[in-house]
Every structure is written in structure tokens, then in C-alpha cells.
Amino acid sequence: MSDQTRPYSSPMLDGPDRAPSRAMLYAVGFKKEDFAKVQIGIASTWSQVTPCNIHIDRLARESAKGTDAAGGKAVIFNTITISDGISMGTEGMKYSLVSREVIADSIETVVGCEGMDGFVAIGGCDKNMPACVIAMARMNRPSVFVYGGTILPGCATIKGELKELDVVSVFEAVGKHASGEYSDEELETVESCAIPGEGSCGGMYTANTMASAIEALGLSLPNSSSQTAVSDEKMQDCFDAGAAVVNMIKLGIKPRDIMTRKAFENAITVVIALGGSTNAVLHLLAAAHAAEVPLCIDDFTEIGKRVPLLADLKPSGKYSMAALVKIGGTMPLLRILLEGGLLHGDCMTVTGKTLAENIANSKLYYPEGQEIVRPVSNPIKKDSHLRILYGNLAPGGAVAKITGKEGELFTGRARVFDSEDEGMKAILGGEIVEGDVIVIRREGPKGGPGMREMLGPTAAIMGRGLGKKVAFITDGRFSGGSHGFVVGHVTPEAHEGGPIGLLVDGDIITIDAVNNTLSVDLDEATLKARRDAWTQPAPRYTRGVLAKYAKLTTSASEGAVTDKYL
């Protein structure tokens, strides 16, 4: 290939003066002919930290084979990952959202430093996936994202009934154990059987949500988002992705050619149709920022007015992601949405073809009689479950996940806690009763810092049978596995003097998911008096990565990114 196809590796490797560079690469397995090939990085998020990523080294090697077979030269490198499922509910969880920035920075660093002409990025857990996309947008070099794949369901017999299990089953079992519904032995049965092997958490939680959104953006090959981690299809997807990057170089296609405003609208549409995680709001805003595409939280409202909720998937629905895989995955859904006039079919993708062309080339259709994905004419909910709320409690916005199964209006009395730990203790201790609105604050991007996910508390609420009897608001965020009457990303956050930081026990809070409001029954004079008496708490961290993140991050309503004001 000519130097024009190697704009980054050519200055690194060509000519007599670059002999030291070539000498280093001979030592890692290069042959003389490899130096003239396009250099393709394979960014692997492999780690023994979590089952979501335990297999990604195998996938990375397969992508390298695909690159080499297509005439490129693959170079595998690693970045970190963390496990939300393990750290959830602990101080360690504060590093979760922070890891998105660390991973994006590290991929950018390696690709930029080593003069790679393109790359494949392979992610398998919810923070490393948007991190890969952010790095793709920043570098704007031909690149493809590969999803590591969903886990298969676990199963166990509990109280004489065979149950399909996943990670959320374990969190909810903690609440059932606290209420006395589950014995010690039953809790142990659930925890030992729920997660049978490799792959990302099995409902339409954040990992599967983001995989589907990234495919809809056009950055993955067709159906990459809906293959199980252990399947032959996933291995083929990895091989093909390696070849696809080489083809993108030949065609001159770069990520920002794909990551247009229309493409982000497609991603939001698919997230809504699937009943996806509130984290998609945070991560798509961050990806759009990296690609310099205008996108704001109000766009989720506008798109949500016309896009229905179609998929009956966990956590609020019945089925696992593996069940969706069995009936054809995401491609038939894209066909349904395109035929319904809800997608922009003219958006370019990493295949070198438009989204509409990919759909036309696909032979995948949902079988007759399946009950997982509804037709547009008979939705689960006629508009979006993701609600962007404003009001005197959230002047900068908040994000709710309301499918309608919880109801769409809740008024109750505040029970205020200054950390997740305090709130969780009260829930498990039986201190929360019907009519309460649990308020967990000082968990925002700056105040946490790091915006911990509240899966532990929401699952404990469900486990104690309070799912339809209480509501929950926080300036932190929720796992994709959370469900119930929950509102997160409340902005401004408590640490910045937001109204959520001024609440006291007994204040009357109303969440209205029809009119999209979040309010407290206090007049402005009372709020002003409380604000005048408020003092900003001292930072919880003053050194290290958490302190750096708290110093740099924007609000949740801006994607909690760290480079906006640099």
C-alpha cells in the first residue's frame, strides 16, 4: 500500500533514520515485509477482573488474524477494565465512571504514540465500551468496535421452582434475604449459579444497551451487539472486524464520517426501542462531545416523543439478551424501525455501506409468534421510557427510567441520605416504608466523586417488595439493571449546591413522568434560605485519579466528560 494509506505508520517506520523503530519491532515478531503494511492496533480490554472481559484476549487474537489476512499488520495492546458488578455498593465503585476516561485516554495514547493507521477496539463491559468509542472519535482513524458478547443465563431451583438467573437476580436476592424470604442456603444457591461463564451481564443492562447503540451508530459490524460471548458468530465478527478496518483505510472512511448527528439519533432510537439503560444518556453525550457533534439531553426527549418501547427485556421486562439473540438479534429490529420511518437509513457504517444497505443485505427476520419484540403498531409503551425531567429539584435536568409498569406519577416524603452506604443500610434495615422517596445525594460526578451506580439499593428495594411503593432520586446514577420508580443524574448535584443538597426528611417530592417534572413542595423563599445556610462540603479526595476527575468533570447533563473546558 502507498504511503497515503499509511499516514501515521509511514513517518514512524520508513527510511534509514527509522531503523531503531524497526529494530524494536523485529523483536516482537515483525518481518521485513510487515513494515510496508498498514499498522492496525487491536485494543483489547482483556482482564481477569470480570467475566465480561475474561475472554477478550481470545477475541483480540481473532481480530488480529482478520487484519493480517486482509493485508494489514496487527499489533495487539491492552488497556484496563474494572468490574461494576464486583465493586457495586463499595467505595471502589467511585472508580467506575472514572475508568471510562482512563481507558479512552490510554487507547488514544497507544494509537497516537505508536503511529497506528487504524484500530479495532474490543469492549465487554459498560464503561470500556463507550471509552472505546470516545477514543475512536478523538483519533478519527479508521476503526471498528467489537462487542465481547452477552453472557448466557444462569439457572437454579429455588423453593422448588427452576429460575433463570443473572447478576441482578443476586442483588435482588440480597433484599429477599434481608426480608427473610430467602434463607442463607437459598442466597448461596443464587450467587453460585447466576453467572455461568464469560460475557456481559445478560439483560438489557448498560453493556447490551451500549453495544446496541454503538451498532446503530454504525461503528460495529451488523449484529455485533447481539451475539453471545461463547459463540462461533462472535469469533467470526472479530475476524471480520480486523479485515473491515483495512477496508475502511482503502475506502477512506473515518469514524467522524460515521458519527454524524443522524447517526446519534439512530443510536438514541434503538436504545429507546430496546428499553435501554439510563447510562446511555451519559455515554452518548460523551461520545458526541468527543466527535464534536451537537447533542444534549433534550434531544432524548424530542426523539422519545416519536419512538416506542418495543422490547420486553430485563430488567423491567421478561426476557434476557440471549433470548433476543436466539430470534435474530438487533438486525431485525433495525429493519422494523427503518420500515417504520424511525431510522435514518442513509448513514454510513464501518462496512462501507449505509445502514439501509446493511439491513437490505441481512437475511435476518424475527420468527412468527415471537413475543420479545413487539411491532411498532402494538408497543409496550408508545413513547420513550427514558424521561428527561426538570423542575425546582433539577434545574439542570435529571434522567428517569419509567416504563409505565411502575406508574407515571409518584408523590411522597423525602428520606434523605448523604451517601449510598447510608441509604442501603436503611433499606436493608427495614427503615423505608411505603410512600417514601429515597434521596441519596453527594454521589454526583464531583461530589462522589465518580457518580456511583445504585444497583444495590434499587435491587434491595425490589427484593423487599417495595418496587411499586417507593421512589428513589439521586445525583448519582443507576445500573442498567436497576428498575422501579427511579430518577438519577439530578443536576446540579448536591456538591455544587444543587437543590437536592438542600432537602430534609419529610419534604414532599413529586416525580411526574408524563409532564417530565421533578419538584419539591417548597417555595423559592424557603429554598433560598436553605441555600444561604448551605456550605460546600470538603472534597472527599484530594490526591490521585478521583481528585483529578472531580476537578475536571462536567455535570451529568453534559456527559460527565473531563476535557470540555481544557
PDB file of all heavy atoms in Angstrom, residues 516-540:
ATOM      1  N   ASN A 516     -42.900  15.346  32.744  1.00  0.00           N
ATOM      2  CA  ASN A 516     -41.434  15.376  32.827  1.00  0.00           C
ATOM      3  C   ASN A 516     -40.934  16.424  33.822  1.00  0.00           C
ATOM      4  O   ASN A 516     -40.089  17.279  33.495  1.00  0.00           O
ATOM      5  CB  ASN A 516     -40.816  15.614  31.448  1.00  0.00           C
ATOM      6  CG  ASN A 516     -41.098  14.478  30.485  1.00  0.00           C
ATOM      7  OD1 ASN A 516     -41.281  13.337  30.899  1.00  0.00           O
ATOM      8  ND2 ASN A 516     -41.125  14.782  29.196  1.00  0.00           N
ATOM      9  N   THR A 517     -41.434  16.313  35.061  1.00  0.00           N
ATOM     10  CA  THR A 517     -41.023  17.251  36.096  1.00  0.00           C
ATOM     11  C   THR A 517     -40.555  16.511  37.347  1.00  0.00           C
ATOM     12  O   THR A 517     -41.008  15.402  37.651  1.00  0.00           O
ATOM     13  CB  THR A 517     -42.163  18.206  36.486  1.00  0.00           C
ATOM     14  OG1 THR A 517     -43.290  17.441  36.950  1.00  0.00           O
ATOM     15  CG2 THR A 517     -42.579  19.072  35.309  1.00  0.00           C
ATOM     16  N   LEU A 518     -39.649  17.160  38.054  1.00  0.00           N
ATOM     17  CA  LEU A 518     -39.152  16.685  39.348  1.00  0.00           C
ATOM     18  C   LEU A 518     -39.132  17.886  40.285  1.00  0.00           C
ATOM     19  O   LEU A 518     -38.369  18.830  40.074  1.00  0.00           O
ATOM     20  CB  LEU A 518     -37.746  16.095  39.213  1.00  0.00           C
ATOM     21  CG  LEU A 518     -37.063  15.648  40.511  1.00  0.00           C
ATOM     22  CD1 LEU A 518     -37.827  14.504  41.160  1.00  0.00           C
ATOM     23  CD2 LEU A 518     -35.620  15.229  40.241  1.00  0.00           C
ATOM     24  N   SER A 519     -40.008  17.859  41.292  1.00  0.00           N
ATOM     25  CA  SER A 519     -40.172  19.054  42.111  1.00  0.00           C
ATOM     26  C   SER A 519     -40.332  18.710  43.583  1.00  0.00           C
ATOM     27  O   SER A 519     -40.718  17.600  43.951  1.00  0.00           O
ATOM     28  CB  SER A 519     -41.392  19.852  41.634  1.00  0.00           C
ATOM     29  OG  SER A 519     -42.562  19.053  41.715  1.00  0.00           O
ATOM     30  N   VAL A 520     -40.021  19.691  44.417  1.00  0.00           N
ATOM     31  CA  VAL A 520     -40.259  19.597  45.850  1.00  0.00           C
ATOM     32  C   VAL A 520     -41.237  20.701  46.235  1.00  0.00           C
ATOM     33  O   VAL A 520     -41.191  21.815  45.692  1.00  0.00           O
ATOM     34  CB  VAL A 520     -38.943  19.722  46.648  1.00  0.00           C
ATOM     35  CG1 VAL A 520     -38.226  21.043  46.372  1.00  0.00           C
ATOM     36  CG2 VAL A 520     -39.193  19.543  48.150  1.00  0.00           C
ATOM     37  N   ASP A 521     -42.130  20.392  47.148  1.00  0.00           N
ATOM     38  CA  ASP A 521     -43.187  21.325  47.536  1.00  0.00           C
ATOM     39  C   ASP A 521     -42.642  22.355  48.520  1.00  0.00           C
ATOM     40  O   ASP A 521     -42.992  22.367  49.706  1.00  0.00           O
ATOM     41  CB  ASP A 521     -44.358  20.552  48.142  1.00  0.00           C
ATOM     42  CG  ASP A 521     -45.570  21.453  48.394  1.00  0.00           C
ATOM     43  OD1 ASP A 521     -45.618  22.565  47.817  1.00  0.00           O
ATOM     44  OD2 ASP A 521     -46.465  21.040  49.160  1.00  0.00           O
ATOM     45  N   LEU A 522     -41.754  23.220  48.017  1.00  0.00           N
ATOM     46  CA  LEU A 522     -41.180  24.310  48.806  1.00  0.00           C
ATOM     47  C   LEU A 522     -41.194  25.573  47.955  1.00  0.00           C
ATOM     48  O   LEU A 522     -40.929  25.510  46.742  1.00  0.00           O
ATOM     49  CB  LEU A 522     -39.734  23.998  49.202  1.00  0.00           C
ATOM     50  CG  LEU A 522     -39.497  22.787  50.121  1.00  0.00           C
ATOM     51  CD1 LEU A 522     -38.009  22.514  50.237  1.00  0.00           C
ATOM     52  CD2 LEU A 522     -40.115  23.020  51.500  1.00  0.00           C
ATOM     53  N   ASP A 523     -41.490  26.701  48.561  1.00  0.00           N
ATOM     54  CA  ASP A 523     -41.458  27.936  47.792  1.00  0.00           C
ATOM     55  C   ASP A 523     -40.026  28.416  47.638  1.00  0.00           C
ATOM     56  O   ASP A 523     -39.107  27.948  48.313  1.00  0.00           O
ATOM     57  CB  ASP A 523     -42.354  29.012  48.417  1.00  0.00           C
ATOM     58  CG  ASP A 523     -41.976  29.356  49.854  1.00  0.00           C
ATOM     59  OD1 ASP A 523     -40.776  29.313  50.188  1.00  0.00           O
ATOM     60  OD2 ASP A 523     -42.890  29.669  50.642  1.00  0.00           O
ATOM     61  N   GLU A 524     -39.832  29.370  46.759  1.00  0.00           N
ATOM     62  CA  GLU A 524     -38.481  29.830  46.443  1.00  0.00           C
ATOM     63  C   GLU A 524     -37.824  30.495  47.646  1.00  0.00           C
ATOM     64  O   GLU A 524     -36.602  30.398  47.838  1.00  0.00           O
ATOM     65  CB  GLU A 524     -38.520  30.805  45.261  1.00  0.00           C
ATOM     66  CG  GLU A 524     -37.154  31.274  44.791  1.00  0.00           C
ATOM     67  CD  GLU A 524     -36.194  30.128  44.495  1.00  0.00           C
ATOM     68  OE1 GLU A 524     -36.620  29.106  43.927  1.00  0.00           O
ATOM     69  OE2 GLU A 524     -34.988  30.254  44.838  1.00  0.00           O
ATOM     70  N   ALA A 525     -38.617  31.142  48.491  1.00  0.00           N
ATOM     71  CA  ALA A 525     -38.037  31.796  49.675  1.00  0.00           C
ATOM     72  C   ALA A 525     -37.424  30.758  50.622  1.00  0.00           C
ATOM     73  O   ALA A 525     -36.344  30.972  51.189  1.00  0.00           O
ATOM     74  CB  ALA A 525     -39.111  32.617  50.394  1.00  0.00           C
ATOM     75  N   THR A 526     -38.116  29.644  50.801  1.00  0.00           N
ATOM     76  CA  THR A 526     -37.589  28.587  51.674  1.00  0.00           C
ATOM     77  C   THR A 526     -36.326  27.990  51.087  1.00  0.00           C
ATOM     78  O   THR A 526     -35.330  27.757  51.786  1.00  0.00           O
ATOM     79  CB  THR A 526     -38.645  27.491  51.867  1.00  0.00           C
ATOM     80  OG1 THR A 526     -39.820  28.085  52.430  1.00  0.00           O
ATOM     81  CG2 THR A 526     -38.127  26.398  52.794  1.00  0.00           C
ATOM     82  N   LEU A 527     -36.355  27.725  49.773  1.00  0.00           N
ATOM     83  CA  LEU A 527     -35.161  27.188  49.116  1.00  0.00           C
ATOM     84  C   LEU A 527     -33.994  28.163  49.209  1.00  0.00           C
ATOM     85  O   LEU A 527     -32.849  27.756  49.449  1.00  0.00           O
ATOM     86  CB  LEU A 527     -35.465  26.873  47.653  1.00  0.00           C
ATOM     87  CG  LEU A 527     -36.274  25.599  47.388  1.00  0.00           C
ATOM     88  CD1 LEU A 527     -36.719  25.537  45.932  1.00  0.00           C
ATOM     89  CD2 LEU A 527     -35.472  24.354  47.752  1.00  0.00           C
ATOM     90  N   LYS A 528     -34.265  29.448  49.063  1.00  0.00           N
ATOM     91  CA  LYS A 528     -33.205  30.452  49.150  1.00  0.00           C
ATOM     92  C   LYS A 528     -32.612  30.490  50.556  1.00  0.00           C
ATOM     93  O   LYS A 528     -31.388  30.587  50.726  1.00  0.00           O
ATOM     94  CB  LYS A 528     -33.728  31.833  48.770  1.00  0.00           C
ATOM     95  CG  LYS A 528     -32.655  32.917  48.786  1.00  0.00           C
ATOM     96  CD  LYS A 528     -33.205  34.265  48.383  1.00  0.00           C
ATOM     97  CE  LYS A 528     -32.094  35.317  48.319  1.00  0.00           C
ATOM     98  NZ  LYS A 528     -31.315  35.442  49.577  1.00  0.00           N
ATOM     99  N   ALA A 529     -33.466  30.409  51.569  1.00  0.00           N
ATOM    100  CA  ALA A 529     -32.969  30.428  52.941  1.00  0.00           C
ATOM    101  C   ALA A 529     -32.068  29.219  53.203  1.00  0.00           C
ATOM    102  O   ALA A 529     -31.014  29.336  53.845  1.00  0.00           O
ATOM    103  CB  ALA A 529     -34.139  30.438  53.916  1.00  0.00           C
ATOM    104  N   ARG A 530     -32.483  28.074  52.711  1.00  0.00           N
ATOM    105  CA  ARG A 530     -31.644  26.876  52.881  1.00  0.00           C
ATOM    106  C   ARG A 530     -30.336  27.014  52.099  1.00  0.00           C
ATOM    107  O   ARG A 530     -29.274  26.607  52.567  1.00  0.00           O
ATOM    108  CB  ARG A 530     -32.396  25.628  52.431  1.00  0.00           C
ATOM    109  CG  ARG A 530     -33.572  25.265  53.319  1.00  0.00           C
ATOM    110  CD  ARG A 530     -34.171  23.922  52.881  1.00  0.00           C
ATOM    111  NE  ARG A 530     -35.389  23.603  53.599  1.00  0.00           N
ATOM    112  CZ  ARG A 530     -36.084  22.486  53.425  1.00  0.00           C
ATOM    113  NH1 ARG A 530     -35.677  21.577  52.548  1.00  0.00           N
ATOM    114  NH2 ARG A 530     -37.201  22.261  54.112  1.00  0.00           N
ATOM    115  N   ARG A 531     -30.426  27.602  50.904  1.00  0.00           N
ATOM    116  CA  ARG A 531     -29.231  27.775  50.081  1.00  0.00           C
ATOM    117  C   ARG A 531     -28.253  28.730  50.760  1.00  0.00           C
ATOM    118  O   ARG A 531     -27.032  28.508  50.744  1.00  0.00           O
ATOM    119  CB  ARG A 531     -29.637  28.295  48.704  1.00  0.00           C
ATOM    120  CG  ARG A 531     -28.527  28.244  47.663  1.00  0.00           C
ATOM    121  CD  ARG A 531     -29.037  28.682  46.288  1.00  0.00           C
ATOM    122  NE  ARG A 531     -30.035  27.763  45.755  1.00  0.00           N
ATOM    123  CZ  ARG A 531     -31.306  28.056  45.563  1.00  0.00           C
ATOM    124  NH1 ARG A 531     -31.765  29.276  45.886  1.00  0.00           N
ATOM    125  NH2 ARG A 531     -32.146  27.172  45.075  1.00  0.00           N
ATOM    126  N   ASP A 532     -28.768  29.790  51.355  1.00  0.00           N
ATOM    127  CA  ASP A 532     -27.907  30.760  52.035  1.00  0.00           C
ATOM    128  C   ASP A 532     -27.196  30.132  53.231  1.00  0.00           C
ATOM    129  O   ASP A 532     -26.082  30.546  53.595  1.00  0.00           O
ATOM    130  CB  ASP A 532     -28.730  31.967  52.499  1.00  0.00           C
ATOM    131  CG  ASP A 532     -29.220  32.825  51.335  1.00  0.00           C
ATOM    132  OD1 ASP A 532     -28.676  32.689  50.224  1.00  0.00           O
ATOM    133  OD2 ASP A 532     -30.157  33.628  51.550  1.00  0.00           O
ATOM    134  N   ALA A 533     -27.827  29.131  53.838  1.00  0.00           N
ATOM    135  CA  ALA A 533     -27.231  28.477  55.011  1.00  0.00           C
ATOM    136  C   ALA A 533     -26.313  27.313  54.624  1.00  0.00           C
ATOM    137  O   ALA A 533     -25.612  26.775  55.484  1.00  0.00           O
ATOM    138  CB  ALA A 533     -28.345  27.964  55.928  1.00  0.00           C
ATOM    139  N   TRP A 534     -26.287  26.974  53.329  1.00  0.00           N
ATOM    140  CA  TRP A 534     -25.519  25.813  52.862  1.00  0.00           C
ATOM    141  C   TRP A 534     -24.044  26.158  52.701  1.00  0.00           C
ATOM    142  O   TRP A 534     -23.691  27.268  52.281  1.00  0.00           O
ATOM    143  CB  TRP A 534     -26.097  25.347  51.534  1.00  0.00           C
ATOM    144  CG  TRP A 534     -25.366  24.204  50.879  1.00  0.00           C
ATOM    145  CD1 TRP A 534     -25.518  22.880  51.109  1.00  0.00           C
ATOM    146  CD2 TRP A 534     -24.360  24.314  49.856  1.00  0.00           C
ATOM    147  NE1 TRP A 534     -24.682  22.141  50.311  1.00  0.00           N
ATOM    148  CE2 TRP A 534     -23.955  22.994  49.522  1.00  0.00           C
ATOM    149  CE3 TRP A 534     -23.756  25.383  49.185  1.00  0.00           C
ATOM    150  CZ2 TRP A 534     -22.982  22.723  48.568  1.00  0.00           C
ATOM    151  CZ3 TRP A 534     -22.790  25.116  48.224  1.00  0.00           C
ATOM    152  CH2 TRP A 534     -22.415  23.804  47.923  1.00  0.00           C
ATOM    153  N   THR A 535     -23.183  25.250  53.046  1.00  0.00           N
ATOM    154  CA  THR A 535     -21.756  25.386  52.758  1.00  0.00           C
ATOM    155  C   THR A 535     -21.295  24.149  52.000  1.00  0.00           C
ATOM    156  O   THR A 535     -21.748  23.028  52.265  1.00  0.00           O
ATOM    157  CB  THR A 535     -20.923  25.531  54.043  1.00  0.00           C
ATOM    158  OG1 THR A 535     -21.179  24.411  54.902  1.00  0.00           O
ATOM    159  CG2 THR A 535     -21.270  26.822  54.771  1.00  0.00           C
ATOM    160  N   GLN A 536     -20.397  24.342  51.071  1.00  0.00           N
ATOM    161  CA  GLN A 536     -19.931  23.219  50.252  1.00  0.00           C
ATOM    162  C   GLN A 536     -19.089  22.264  51.098  1.00  0.00           C
ATOM    163  O   GLN A 536     -18.172  22.692  51.801  1.00  0.00           O
ATOM    164  CB  GLN A 536     -19.114  23.715  49.066  1.00  0.00           C
ATOM    165  CG  GLN A 536     -18.734  22.608  48.095  1.00  0.00           C
ATOM    166  CD  GLN A 536     -18.040  23.147  46.861  1.00  0.00           C
ATOM    167  OE1 GLN A 536     -17.021  23.820  46.951  1.00  0.00           O
ATOM    168  NE2 GLN A 536     -18.604  22.847  45.690  1.00  0.00           N
ATOM    169  N   PRO A 537     -19.394  20.971  51.024  1.00  0.00           N
ATOM    170  CA  PRO A 537     -18.591  20.003  51.767  1.00  0.00           C
ATOM    171  C   PRO A 537     -17.158  19.946  51.232  1.00  0.00           C
ATOM    172  O   PRO A 537     -16.901  20.263  50.067  1.00  0.00           O
ATOM    173  CB  PRO A 537     -19.308  18.668  51.514  1.00  0.00           C
ATOM    174  CG  PRO A 537     -20.659  19.025  50.983  1.00  0.00           C
ATOM    175  CD  PRO A 537     -20.493  20.337  50.283  1.00  0.00           C
ATOM    176  N   ALA A 538     -16.238  19.547  52.085  1.00  0.00           N
ATOM    177  CA  ALA A 538     -14.854  19.366  51.650  1.00  0.00           C
ATOM    178  C   ALA A 538     -14.779  18.215  50.661  1.00  0.00           C
ATOM    179  O   ALA A 538     -15.557  17.252  50.754  1.00  0.00           O
ATOM    180  CB  ALA A 538     -13.963  19.074  52.858  1.00  0.00           C
ATOM    181  N   PRO A 539     -13.879  18.289  49.691  1.00  0.00           N
ATOM    182  CA  PRO A 539     -13.727  17.167  48.749  1.00  0.00           C
ATOM    183  C   PRO A 539     -13.384  15.877  49.485  1.00  0.00           C
ATOM    184  O   PRO A 539     -12.647  15.891  50.468  1.00  0.00           O
ATOM    185  CB  PRO A 539     -12.563  17.600  47.852  1.00  0.00           C
ATOM    186  CG  PRO A 539     -12.451  19.070  48.030  1.00  0.00           C
ATOM    187  CD  PRO A 539     -12.931  19.369  49.409  1.00  0.00           C
ATOM    188  N   ARG A 540     -13.941  14.774  49.017  1.00  0.00           N
ATOM    189  CA  ARG A 540     -13.660  13.500  49.666  1.00  0.00           C
ATOM    190  C   ARG A 540     -12.268  12.979  49.305  1.00  0.00           C
ATOM    191  O   ARG A 540     -11.701  12.179  50.038  1.00  0.00           O
ATOM    192  CB  ARG A 540     -14.738  12.488  49.259  1.00  0.00           C
ATOM    193  CG  ARG A 540     -16.055  12.724  50.002  1.00  0.00           C
ATOM    194  CD  ARG A 540     -17.173  11.825  49.500  1.00  0.00           C
ATOM    195  NE  ARG A 540     -18.270  11.770  50.457  1.00  0.00           N
ATOM    196  CZ  ARG A 540     -19.543  11.612  50.124  1.00  0.00           C
ATOM    197  NH1 ARG A 540     -19.896  11.494  48.864  1.00  0.00           N
ATOM    198  NH2 ARG A 540     -20.475  11.554  51.050  1.00  0.00           N
TER     199      ARG A 540
END
